[in-house]
Amino acid sequence: MVVRYYWGKPNDVVRWYLRGTLYLSAQSRKSYIEKTGAEPGNLPRLLKLLKELDEVFETVDTDSMALLCLRYVELLSVTDTAKLTGLSNSQVSTRTAKVMKKAKDIIAKA
């Protein structure tokens, strides 16, 4: 049986969604900095995360990454996410914390 995905494999869809979101955010901040002369702030960190995004995906499963996206794109609380996904509050917290820790580790290296 052949498994087909409309937009591609879930891992790739989430990866490209995050890459696009980070890229747009970085471009927006860069443009603002250029126009106003503001300090770069966390732009270098954002660019580092964008560059090292594949490293996050190598160590974190796609479901956890998708869960994190769901929470932050929809601005859902842990409880709301748990109701929507059928996971327990602790499962949601653990999975999203794992992704955030890896991303923070990468950003800290910047």
Side-chain angles (χ1 to χ4, degrees):
M1 183 166 134
V2 177
V3 177
R4 296 182 184 169
Y5 299 103
Y6 185 73
W7 289 312
K9 294 182 179 178
N11 192 10
D12 295 335
V13 172
V14 173
R15 182 184 309 224
W16 286 107
Y17 173 79
L18 280 176
R19 189 177 309 284
T21 302
L22 289 172
Y23 178 79
L24 290 175
S25 179
Q27 290 301 332
S28 174
R29 289 179 190 195
K30 187 175 179 182
S31 175
Y32 175 78
I33 290 166
E34 289 171 355
K35 287 179 184 177
T36 64
E39 294 294 318
N42 65 353
L43 181 61
R45 292 173 163 188
L46 181 60
L47 294 172
K48 175 74 172 175
L49 181 59
L50 184 59
K51 182 179 174 188
E52 303 295 332
L53 189 61
D54 289 336
E55 184 180 327
V56 175
F57 272 86
E58 289 172 6
T59 58
V60 178
D61 64 282
T62 305
D63 291 342
S64 295
M65 194 70 73
L67 191 62
L68 182 70
C69 289
L70 174 67
R71 279 205 57 213
Y72 288 99
V73 169
E74 298 293 333
L75 300 176
L76 298 174
S77 67
V78 171
T79 305
D80 293 337
T81 307
K83 286 179 189 173
L84 190 62
T85 61
L87 299 170
S88 70
N89 287 358
S90 63
Q91 287 173 313
V92 171
S93 295
T94 301
R95 289 182 183 187
T96 56
K98 183 190 292 186
V99 179
M100 291 302 290
K101 182 182 181 327
K102 185 64 181 175
K104 287 177 183 177
D105 289 346
I106 289 171
I107 290 171
K109 293 177 190 174

